[in-house]
Structure formats: C-alpha cells, structure tokens
Amino acid sequence: MDVYEAVKTRRAVRGFTDQAVEREVIERVLSAAARSPSGSNIQPWNIYVVTGEPLAQLKKVATERVAAGDPWDEREYVMYPPQLKSPYGERRAAFGRDRYTALGVARDDWEARARAAIGNWECFGAPVALFCYIDRDLGMPQWSDLGMYLQTVMLLLRAEGLHSCPQMAWSQVRKSVDAVTQPPPELMLFCGMSIGYEDPSVDFVDNGRASLDDTVTFIEG
C-alpha cells in the first residue's frame, strides 16, 4: 500500500473484529513511527499499549462508569473552544448529524445516543488500545508533535492492513485508564486509540473533507 492509498483509506473505524493483532506488528509500527517530526527531536509522546485481560478489565470499568452515570473525570486540556466559530462549528455539527443518522438515531433520542457513545469505552470491539500521554510541562508545539506522531501511527497501521480510531473520549475516564497504565505523575492522558481489523458489517459514513479552495491559498510568482 503506497502512502496516498494509506491516507485515502485511513478513517476512524467504529467497528472491529476480535481477531488478535500480533505484538510484533505493533512494535514494528511504533518503531517506525518514532521517526515522526518532532521539534528539536524532543519526541514528547509517551505510549502505553494495553491488550488482553488488562484491556478487558478497563473496558468493563469504563463502560460500567458510563452506564451508571458517574461524573466524567475533568479533562486536563480544552477539547473545543466554548464558542466554535464558523466554519468549524458547522463542520462539527454536520459530523454529529451524519454519524447518528447512519446509526438510525434520532436527534432527540438521548438514550440511543448514550448507547452509541458507550462503544468508545468498549474500543468498538478492538483487541488493542493505545494510550498517548504528554508531559504537563510541555507546550503547544509539542502537542502538535503528538498529532504528527499519531497520524504516522495510523498510516503505518493501514500499511499493515489494520484500522484505528483515535479517541479523546478516553480523557473523560482518565482516572480509570491511569489505574491500568500507572503513568508517572508528570504525564497527562491526551487520547486513546482503538486498533484492530475492521468489521465490514458495521456501517459507516464517509464524512468527506472541505474543498481545496476552502482550506488552501496558493501564492505564486
């Protein structure tokens, strides 16, 4: 699979089979992803890979918390600005509308929406979860390094025939994640990522992207 094909076929998959993923494949992906861009070679990513019984227990604890209506753990970063201005707010609203429409969930059916959302904490059935942490003392440029690293991971997973779903939702139950990963106190959880083989029976929506004219300006001589 060439790079263009990997980029075109990468998407947030929300339905995985239980087919095992070999550890050597994950190691190969993460070893190569370490070549991702990083300002001054700081390499701010701190990665925990959870599988097997520890992941099963984490899924159980997280879904039970959500089902019981336990309060979310307070995120240690702001996910979206309080007022998401145009065109970003419209794009976010369109994503939510398209996703829940594909699932057959009505806009005002909050119980059905909650059932759909709980799939996050089941990793959508995936057998591997990656959790990405960053040192609290680092700044916005290092956060951008995380994004480049995680994108590299996801593209390399496609090269291995795997899919993924990056999930900031895990930061809402970060204390449950920390109980499994036991990171040092200076690290904070940014996101999780479900990894596995796609279940082709699960419907999905191709959200598409803004046109090139909407996001790119050419200044030519």
Side-chain angles (χ1 to χ4, degrees):
M1 182 182 296
D2 69 18
V3 176
Y4 278 90
E5 185 66 18
V7 171
K8 289 177 180 179
T9 61
R10 186 222 62 81
R11 56 186 175 80
V13 165
R14 293 180 173 86
F16 295 88
T17 71
D18 60 1
Q19 180 180 346
V21 178
E22 295 182 1
R23 175 171 169 167
E24 66 180 34
V25 174
I26 301 299
E27 289 182 346
R28 182 162 59 242
V29 164
L30 298 182
S31 293
R35 303 298 305 178
S36 299
S38 172
S40 297
N41 202 30
I42 287 177
Q43 304 170 66
W45 43 83
N46 294 266
I47 304 301
Y48 294 78
V49 179
V50 184
T51 60
E53 185 58 27
L55 180 57
Q57 286 300 312
L58 176 55
K59 290 178 180 180
K60 181 175 184 293
V61 169
T63 54
E64 286 178 349
R65 281 188 60 182
V66 176
D70 287 353
W72 296 125
D73 296 332
E74 184 179 356
R75 279 194 176 102
E76 297 186 272
Y77 61 89
V78 176
M79 186 170 175
Y80 299 110
Q83 298 298 324
L84 201 55
K85 65 183 182 181
S86 181
Y88 315 113
E90 292 88 340
R91 291 173 184 167
R92 184 186 181 195
F95 165 78
R97 181 182 62 247
D98 292 346
R99 168 157 165 68
Y100 288 113
T101 298
L103 293 172
V105 176
R107 180 182 178 87
D108 58 351
D109 190 345
W110 296 107
E111 183 176 347
R113 285 183 170 230
R115 287 197 301 271
I118 209 168
N120 276 288
W121 297 282
E122 295 172 339
C123 294
F124 302 107
V128 179
L130 175 155
F131 295 101
C132 181
Y133 287 77
I134 187 171
D135 195 300
R136 289 181 175 83
D137 292 336
L138 297 179
M140 291 177 64
Q142 289 74 57
W143 282 82
S144 73
D145 289 348
L146 287 191
M148 290 186 282
Y149 172 84
L150 292 169
Q151 171 74 339
T152 302
V153 169
M154 291 185 284
L155 295 180
L156 290 169
L157 289 170
R158 289 301 300 122
E160 297 283 354
L162 293 160
H163 273 284
S164 60
C165 183
Q167 301 160 271
M168 285 186 282
W170 281 104
S171 64
Q172 296 175 291
V173 291
R174 61 182 177 81
K175 292 179 182 178
S176 297
V177 178
D178 288 353
V180 174
T181 57
Q182 298 186 7
E186 66 270 18
L187 294 186
M188 59 182 286
L189 179 64
F190 170 43
C191 71
M193 181 189 295
S194 297
I195 297 171
Y197 293 95
E198 182 182 11
D199 181 351
S201 69
V202 177
D203 290 335
F204 72 93
V205 174
D206 184 353
N207 298 113
R209 291 295 187 267
S211 70
L212 202 64
D213 289 341
D214 287 339
T215 60
V216 177
T217 300
F218 289 96
I219 301 173
E220 300 176 312

